[in-house]
């Protein structure tokens, strides 16, 4: 009746616009191609080698728990590979500060995985 047009915006519209702006920056264009080398590669490896391609269980929660276990195993495998490389590196170098940094990094990763696995202890094996 007043011939006014009312425009309503979603609550998160400003965040979507901010993300869209960041996506077109030069820094993002440098970082984004690295995604396929890290995140997507890990997911693809779990799909191919660890049975993540198809679900064997019914229900979202059960499949989520199964996925967590698969990725936990994947992370443990990566840690084992890192440990092997660490041992090779330790034999090659004698720099104590470098050794200390590597040991601290390994301990931090180990604590994160241990904490994550501690949360998974409540899973049922039935």
């Amino acid at each position: 009746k007043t011939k006014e047009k009312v425009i309503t915006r979603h609550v998160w519209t400003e965040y979507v616009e901010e993300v869209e702006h960041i996506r077109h920056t030069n820094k993002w264009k440098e970082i984004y191609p690295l995604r396929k080398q890290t995140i997507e590669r890990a997911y693809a490896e779990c799909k191919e080698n660890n049975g993540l391609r198809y679900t064997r269980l019914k229900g979202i929660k059960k499949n989520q728990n199964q996925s967590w276990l698969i990725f936990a195993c994947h992370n443990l495998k990566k840690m084992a590979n890192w440990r092997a490389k660490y041992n090779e590196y330790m034999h090659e170098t004698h720099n104590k500060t470098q050794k200390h940094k590597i040991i601290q990094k390994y301990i931090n990763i180990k604590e994160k995985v241990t904490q994550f696995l501690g949360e998974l202890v409540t899973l049922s094996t039935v």
Side-chain angles (χ1 to χ4, degrees):
K1 294 180 180 180
T2 61
K3 298 187 180 188
E4 292 180 358
K5 188 173 186 177
V6 177
I7 299 174
T8 57
R9 291 170 50 110
H10 193 274
V11 181
W12 294 345
T13 304
E14 65 184 66
Y15 298 112
V16 171
E17 290 172 353
E18 180 66 23
V19 168
E20 191 64 24
H21 171 70
I22 291 171
R23 190 173 70 90
H24 293 292
T25 62
N26 289 332
K27 181 70 174 169
W28 181 256
K29 289 178 182 177
E30 292 173 13
I31 294 172
Y32 188 76
L34 300 177
R35 176 187 169 98
K36 61 184 160 192
Q37 297 173 6
T38 54
I39 299 167
E40 292 177 9
R41 181 175 175 195
Y43 182 69
E45 188 174 317
C46 287
K47 269 178 66 176
E48 216 37 55
N49 300 333
N50 300 324
L52 200 60
R53 189 174 296 276
Y54 301 104
T55 61
R56 292 181 292 269
L57 306 168
K58 288 186 179 180
I60 292 174
K61 192 66 176 171
K62 289 179 185 176
N63 281 300
Q64 184 180 34
N65 290 340
Q66 181 70 23
S67 298
W68 285 345
L69 285 173
I70 288 171
F71 281 109
C73 292
H74 177 75
N75 288 336
L76 288 172
K77 179 179 137 188
K78 282 174 57 175
M79 283 180 56
N81 289 335
W82 289 344
R83 182 66 179 174
K85 287 180 184 178
Y86 165 76
N87 285 336
E88 290 175 12
Y89 178 77
M90 292 298 282
H91 290 296
E92 293 174 4
T93 184
H94 298 288
N95 188 349
K96 293 190 185 243
T97 58
Q98 283 291 341
K99 288 179 184 179
H100 180 70
K101 288 178 184 177
I102 292 171
I103 289 170
Q104 192 60 42
K105 191 178 287 189
Y106 175 74
I107 290 171
N108 291 341
I109 292 169
K110 185 177 178 184
E111 287 174 355
K112 288 178 184 177
V113 170
T114 305
Q115 180 184 3
F116 178 73
L117 290 176
E119 295 171 3
L120 293 178
V121 170
T122 59
L123 296 178
S124 172
T125 56
V126 177

